[in-house]
Amino acid sequence: KLVVHHLNGYNWDKENRTNIDNGITLSENIHLEFHKKYGYGYNTKEQFIDFVNLLYEQNKITDDNYNSLINKLK
């Protein structure tokens, strides 16, 4: 199951709530894992980049997926 994650939190970045560049599609499990680590609300793109790096270090994503995500987040 896929869900959309706001890179900069929906609650505080009101200007970008519907900006497609402020969202990324994730599996529901990965999305929940992010929020377990960083909480809900006031999340940032920088937190998500740290999270992607952590997933990569833990071998939870492939090289191709990692590179694709990092390029999208630039």
Side-chain angles (χ1 to χ4, degrees), residues 1-2 8 12 24 34 37 59-60 64 66:
K1 184 174 179 182
L2 296 177
N8 285 326
W12 68 268
I24 194 157
F34 173 86
K37 180 166 181 59
N59 295 314
K60 292 185 177 181
D64 288 341
Y66 174 77

Side-chain angles (χ1 to χ4, degrees), residues 27 29-30 32-34 36-37 51-66 69:
S27 73
N29 291 340
I30 294 294
L32 290 172
E33 189 174 337
F34 173 86
K36 283 181 183 176
K37 180 166 181 59
F51 180 68
V52 168
N53 286 323
L54 180 64
L55 291 176
Y56 185 68
E57 290 168 8
Q58 295 173 348
N59 295 314
K60 292 185 177 181
I61 57 175
T62 65
D63 290 344
D64 288 341
N65 286 340
Y66 174 77
L69 281 168

Side-chain angles (χ1 to χ4, degrees), residues 2-41:
L2 296 177
V3 296
V4 175
H5 173 75
H6 288 88
L7 296 170
N8 285 326
Y10 180 89
N11 63 317
W12 68 268
D13 192 358
K14 295 177 184 179
E15 287 183 23
N16 288 301
R17 281 182 176 173
T18 59
N19 181 343
I20 62 170
D21 293 327
N22 187 40
I24 194 157
T25 306
L26 303 173
S27 73
E28 188 174 43
N29 291 340
I30 294 294
H31 190 234
L32 290 172
E33 189 174 337
F34 173 86
H35 285 296
K36 283 181 183 176
K37 180 166 181 59
Y38 294 98
Y40 288 86

